Amino acid sequence: MSRIAIIGAGIGGVVLGQALAGQHEVVVFEKGRGVGGRMATRQAPGFAFDHGAQFFTAREPRFLALVEQALAAGAVAEWTMPIASLGRDGQMSLAAPREPHYVGMPGMNSFVRALAGDVAIRSGVDVAPLGTRGDAGWALTDVAGGALGTFDWVISSTTPHQTRALFAETGTDAGMLDGAAMLPCYALLVGFAAPLALDWGMLRLDAGPLALVVNNAGKPGRDGSVGTLVAHSSSAWAQGQLAADPADTEAGMVTALRAALGIDADQASFRALHRWKSARLDGMPDKAPFIDRERGLAATGDWTTGSRVESVALSALDLAGMIG
């Protein structure tokens, strides 16, 4: 039995931890306050917002088995809603989903929590970059120098740039992460005291600052007595806003929302902006997870197969099989 430290408690880290926990001693470290990563749910007074991933699909049997397990536990539900598209000409069209769409219940991070089971997760811990491996293994510390334990394996399930920083001084060649670029996204969270009269669950936009608007309150298990919207910017627009004043970025998204849908976020009871610096991968790679058996280092994430929730989970399962 090996002692394994997994860095990151998003969907990939949690699925990996659960897959390895039966044969190894596993601890998952998460620098945030809880599990989920980009499958995040933000709580605000009177409102809740899924401000990262909005849904997921399941096409491969291994992932579908995880979804069915969570469905049975009430942690996941199918989201049956019309999907709208707003063209460059300003015309809107509606269509039914072409495949089942699923959401966590009552928030997107509920799916990740359900998959975690009894895996040991230590949140609020920012693991420091690794140094030299000792005879007993990797001695982990947090960024403040606090000891976290010694492990035979350290596995990163975080973004490419965080993985590179974690492994930079270890002597390993994580060259397969080269070229893995992440794209940013801004999320505008808008809460109204009364429900919104919308005949769609999700709207995709072909032009302008916004790429996606979601009727968050219309999802299963959400509070339908209020109106909650999550608007995601396009990656191209977000890239140009990274150095801008956040107030100007928020104002730009408010203006775009009003122009596209006639919804005035200035009249909302709650409004907030969240920046996802690494929202999704630029491109669709086809790589295996990274593994260095000699040093006991490995990494998985959307840089291997893409940013779909299912793809990240499957990459984690592939790595678990490689470690054994």
Side-chain angles (χ1 to χ4, degrees):
M1 177 178 287
S2 296
R3 297 159 297 172
I4 298 178
I6 298 173
I7 314 303
I11 183 72
V14 166
V15 166
L16 178 63
Q18 186 59 248
L20 293 173
Q23 295 79 36
H24 304 283
E25 181 183 337
V26 176
V27 180
V28 180
F29 294 98
E30 167 56 48
K31 68 178 180 179
R33 290 178 292 181
V35 304
R38 281 169 281 170
M39 295 184 70
T41 303
R42 175 168 173 174
Q43 302 293 330
F47 302 101
F49 303 89
D50 300 321
H51 61 301
Q54 294 299 314
F55 67 91
F56 55 92
T57 56
R59 302 166 186 168
E60 203 264 15
R62 290 181 298 164
F63 185 65
L64 187 56
L66 297 178
V67 173
E68 289 174 343
Q69 170 187 327
L71 281 166
V76 162
E78 185 176 350
W79 184 23
T80 58
M81 76 305 180
I83 299 175
S85 296
L86 185 64
R88 293 179 179 273
D89 58 2
Q91 296 300 306
M92 185 179 295
S93 59
L94 289 175
R98 289 177 292 180
E99 61 183 324
H101 286 50
Y102 301 99
V103 296
M105 289 269 285
M108 286 299 290
N109 56 6
S110 301
F111 179 42
V112 184
R113 287 202 302 268
L115 295 179
D118 57 0
V119 173
I121 297 176
R122 294 186 58 185
S123 58
V125 178
D126 192 356
V127 177
L130 302 178
T132 302
R133 181 186 173 107
D135 293 338
W138 294 104
L140 264 61
T141 63
D142 60 26
V143 292
L148 300 175
T150 302
F151 298 88
D152 302 302
W153 284 87
V154 176
I155 305 174
S156 175
S157 69
T158 61
T159 62
H161 77 274
Q162 290 175 313
T163 300
R164 292 189 193 99
L166 182 69
F167 291 170
E169 303 300 323
T170 63
T172 192
D173 179 16
M176 64 169 52
L177 278 78
D178 294 345
M182 301 298 292
L183 298 173
C185 174
Y186 285 90
L188 178 68
L189 319 181
V190 186
F192 293 91
L196 297 168
L198 301 173
D199 56 0
W200 44 263
M202 181 164 55
L203 170 68
R204 300 186 185 278
L205 298 90
D206 291 341
L210 303 182
L212 184 72
V213 180
V214 173
N215 178 12
N216 199 94
K219 293 180 179 180
R222 274 61 174 180
D223 182 2
S225 68
V226 296
T228 51
L229 288 180
V230 176
H232 280 179
S233 73
S234 71
S235 296
W237 187 82
Q239 194 72 49
Q241 295 293 311
L242 293 179
D245 187 320
D248 293 336
T249 300
E250 184 173 341
M253 294 186 71
V254 168
T255 299
L257 183 65
R258 185 186 301 115
L261 296 173
I263 295 175
D264 188 359
D266 284 330
Q267 304 302 314
S269 302
F270 175 86
R271 197 176 83 199
L273 183 74
H274 181 88
R275 185 183 76 171
W276 295 101
K277 189 175 181 179
S278 299
R280 64 181 181 87
L281 188 73
D282 184 8
M284 184 62 70
D286 184 14
K287 298 181 179 180
F290 168 75
I291 187 167
D292 182 340
R293 294 186 181 278
E294 180 181 353
R295 292 177 174 83
L297 297 173
T300 182
D302 53 8
W303 54 269
T304 61
T305 54
S307 297
R308 291 180 58 244
V309 170
E310 179 177 30
S311 299
V312 174
L314 291 175
S315 179
L317 292 174
D318 287 344
L319 180 56
M322 294 163 69
I323 293 174

